[in-house]
């Protein structure tokens, strides 16, 4: 029933795309979503409204790495 993106779902979809060696259709949208999860303390939330958490940082780091690898 969620209406907005979240980092956990994004991580799962990106893992699938990485294994299939497919780029996401909307790379710019993905980057904007990741940027929206950034917090003033330098961490990342699991969605655009959540506070920083270890889960948010983990999802951001892994998804960012996969995206960077795909763009090479």
């Amino acid at each position: 029933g969620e209406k907005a993106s979240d980092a956990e779902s994004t991580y799962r979809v990106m893992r699938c795309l990485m294994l299939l060696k497919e780029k996401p259709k909307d790379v710019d949208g993905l980057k904007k979503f990741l940027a929206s999860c950034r917090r003033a303390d330098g961490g990342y939330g699991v969605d655009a409204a959540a506070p920083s958490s270890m889960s948010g940082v983990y999802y951001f780091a892994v998804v960012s790495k996969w995206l960077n690898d795909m763009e090479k």
Side-chain angles (χ1 to χ4, degrees):
E2 293 293 325
K3 303 278 188 227
S5 298
D6 66 85
E8 183 177 359
S9 298
T10 301
Y11 167 86
R12 291 177 191 278
V13 170
M14 280 297 296
R15 177 155 171 69
C16 178
L17 291 173
M18 188 65 180
L19 292 171
L20 293 170
K21 298 182 184 339
E22 294 286 333
K23 250 181 145 173
K25 288 182 182 178
D26 187 4
V27 172
D28 289 335
L30 175 56
K31 289 179 179 179
K32 286 179 186 174
F33 167 69
L34 294 173
S36 77
C37 294
R38 176 85 181 203
R39 301 291 165 258
D41 63 7
Y44 289 83
V46 293
D47 61 41
S52 295
S53 67
M54 286 303 298
S55 296
V57 171
Y58 172 78
Y59 293 136
F60 171 80
V62 174
V63 169
S64 293
K65 182 195 181 317
W66 287 337
L67 189 57
N68 288 338
D69 289 349
M70 289 176 173
E71 292 183 324
K72 288 181 184 177

